[in-house]
Amino acid sequence: MRILEIISLLLLLVASIFAVWGSQGNKFKQGKKLYVGMLSSLIIVFGLHAIIEHVRVQMIPAYVVLVIVVSSLIYKTVKYEQPTNGIREVKQVTNQTLQLTLKSLATLVLVLLLVASTVFSTLLPIFTMPEPSGDYAIGTISKNLTDETRTETLNGDPAGNVKREIAINVWYPVDKAEIKQQARESFPPQIGEAVSLVFGLPKQLFSHVSLIETHVVANAKLSDTQQSYPVVLFSPGVRSTRFQSMTAIEELVSRGYIVVGMDHPYTSAHVELANGKDAFYIPNPEFDTSKELYDSNVEGVGIRANDAKFILDQLEIWNKQDSVFANRLNLDEIGMFGHSYGGATTVETMAQDKRIKAGVSLEGGFWGTVSQKGLEQPFMYIMSGKTEQSLDPNSGVKEAVSYEEFLPDLQSVMKKSTNDTYYLVVDHFYHQSFTDIALVSPLLFSKEMDSVHSVDITRSYVGAFFDQYLKGENNHLLDGASNQYPEVHFSSEYTKKAQ
């Protein structure tokens, strides 16, 4: 919890007790000044909280208490009567037991509401983004790009008049001195929508993420430290958003990469289209057989892979014509990574388009041509410990990524791939651990691991992989077991160097 939230709750607890018990009897004889002082303190502290920290949904129970207590104190201040002959006249209550009971119940309700705010604010904290380790600050621009060669097939428009549109953010290196006084971007509301869809929780619970600062500055000047920068594409999971893994994206950009994150309409959680309309996630229909679902995923990932290839085409145009990125994109060194459905998008794009020189799948499936022929580029697959357990039919553990064809396809890709391959398993991870979800709620989503350490695993291994295969820099993290990350294990069967 933030400091003013803590102060506000403690002050409100005292004020609640005073509002209920302090107006009668001989315990409080200071008079009207005490009511005025308590009111002033509440107004000042909560005013500072609202201005500096901003209100958030987790504090609503406390705000309810604030309204009740302030109303009570105002009423008692206005109605307060000065003592007669130095002795305040107190009306006798015919049923003192009833009065005591009512006061006790009122106190209990107010305290429980304050406890609720404390619990909610602790479960869903205003966290601080871990500092990226590289030398660069981070800038961004956002764009919506329309592929005029493709018709949108997922929006249910029978006329087929709508062209496929992709929403992207480009994050790029910036000199740190350039942005010292500039405001940082906050997390967008799509994060809350994604968490809501994935975990089945009300999205309003996560509206507070817009109060969390990233290390990103909009429209900052691209650094001139290097003539050009290697490029990495990012594809999110289904029901998710291009902002789901900001810690990994910030880390890559700080190391000197230009990262292009894309949202795929109708499989991403929420895409704002250029015409002002919204493209919300549309779930698959129920299928009678696993083959029907598998074939549907092959089709869906194929659409996403075409999105990625379209983005690559646009980057080539930008590198020649765009005023910001002209001659600044090193398109000879392009990588791609993604989580879940985005991991599946990554490997299928790699199989279809050799412009991608290296790729990482964070526990994605293998739907499409890649499952038959493997990969020619360097490839790293990272699996969660929970999913590894779910592949054992006797374990009783089932992660969402596990499906009938998953293991045969994975084995086929790893065996048929002809370049360097890495296969890592992370103990205490589950499928969503590869996102920033551990930071959103450490108590809910990172019970077995420190939340900062959790996101550091993903960003460190992804960064080390691209450093090695796009920049030729080896920090030896991919050589094997690490004392810094004892949870990470390499599979000797699938981790191999090309002959």
Side-chain angles (χ1 to χ4, degrees), residues 14 81 85 91 102 106 122 140 156 206 222 252 254 261 264-265 284 322 337 400 425 428 430 433-434 440 452 470 484:
V14 174
E81 297 179 2
N85 296 325
K91 295 182 179 179
L102 292 175
T122 304
T140 193
F206 305 97
L222 176 63
L252 286 172
S254 79
H264 310 270
N284 279 331
D322 188 271
F337 77 112
V425 177
H428 310 301
Y430 59 98
S433 297
F434 296 104
V440 174
V452 174
L470 298 184
Q484 187 176 358

Side-chain angles (χ1 to χ4, degrees), residues 26-275:
N26 295 321
K27 292 183 178 180
F28 301 95
K29 295 184 178 180
Q30 294 89 337
K32 194 172 184 177
K33 290 183 180 179
L34 194 54
Y35 290 122
V36 173
M38 189 63 69
L39 270 172
S40 301
S41 299
L42 287 172
I43 292 170
I44 291 171
V45 171
F46 273 89
L48 290 173
H49 158 65
I51 294 170
I52 297 173
E53 295 180 336
H54 304 294
V55 299
R56 59 176 176 134
V57 68
Q58 290 78 18
M59 289 285 287
I60 284 178
Y63 302 148
V64 171
V65 175
L66 177 66
V67 171
I68 294 171
V69 170
V70 166
S71 299
S72 174
L73 291 175
I74 290 175
Y75 175 81
K76 291 179 179 181
T77 301
V78 172
K79 293 295 183 179
Y80 184 81
E81 297 179 2
Q82 294 293 342
T84 302
N85 296 325
I87 302 176
R88 185 178 177 184
E89 295 179 356
V90 180
K91 295 182 179 179
Q92 297 298 317
V93 178
T94 57
N95 193 336
Q96 292 186 351
T97 301
L98 176 60
Q99 184 189 41
L100 182 62
T101 301
L102 292 175
K103 286 187 174 185
S104 298
L105 287 174
T107 304
L108 178 62
V109 169
L110 295 176
V111 169
L112 287 176
L113 287 171
L114 294 177
V115 170
S117 275
T118 303
V119 171
F120 293 150
S121 298
T122 304
L123 283 176
L124 299 166
I126 302 295
F127 60 86
T128 300
M129 288 281 287
E131 287 289 331
S133 68
D135 296 328
Y136 292 99
I138 302 152
T140 193
I141 61 170
S142 60
K143 290 179 177 289
N144 282 59
L145 304 175
T146 300
D147 186 350
E148 299 292 346
T149 68
R150 288 192 295 153
T151 298
E152 180 60 78
T153 60
L154 300 178
N155 64 347
D157 178 14
N161 295 322
V162 179
K163 299 300 182 181
R164 181 71 170 171
E165 181 179 329
I166 317 299
I168 68 168
N169 265 73
V170 183
W171 292 277
Y172 51 87
V174 173
D175 294 331
K176 289 185 176 180
E178 180 78 18
I179 64 168
K180 279 187 176 180
Q181 305 301 322
Q182 296 189 46
R184 287 357 184 217
E185 291 276 282
S186 297
F187 270 104
Q190 285 93 327
I191 289 288
E193 293 178 286
V195 176
S196 173
L197 283 171
V198 171
F199 291 97
L201 298 169
K203 67 179 182 180
Q204 292 79 7
L205 288 177
F206 305 97
S207 60
H208 68 290
V209 296
S210 62
L211 301 177
I212 296 166
E213 282 190 348
T214 65
H215 295 97
V216 178
V217 172
N219 303 312
K221 181 179 179 295
L222 176 63
S223 174
D224 291 325
T225 302
Q226 295 179 212
Q227 176 59 42
S228 64
Y229 298 90
V231 176
V232 175
L233 304 188
F234 173 69
S235 177
V238 70
R239 298 173 295 175
S240 198
T241 169
R242 64 189 184 271
F243 307 103
Q244 67 165 62
S245 301
M246 284 303 301
T247 50
I249 289 170
E250 289 189 350
E251 177 65 19
L252 286 172
V253 177
S254 79
R255 295 186 185 203
Y257 295 89
I258 292 175
V259 178
V260 182
M262 66 191 81
D263 266 330
H264 310 270
Y266 306 106
T267 56
S268 289
H270 176 199
V271 179
E272 296 179 355
L273 301 176
N275 62 5

Side-chain angles (χ1 to χ4, degrees), residues 239 339-341 362-364 384 386-387 399-401 429-435:
R239 298 173 295 175
H339 169 243
S340 191
Y341 219 60
L362 304 173
E363 199 161 272
S384 69
K386 290 288 192 296
T387 295
E399 270 287 270
V401 73
F429 261 33
Y430 59 98
H431 188 55
Q432 295 298 329
S433 297
F434 296 104
T435 71

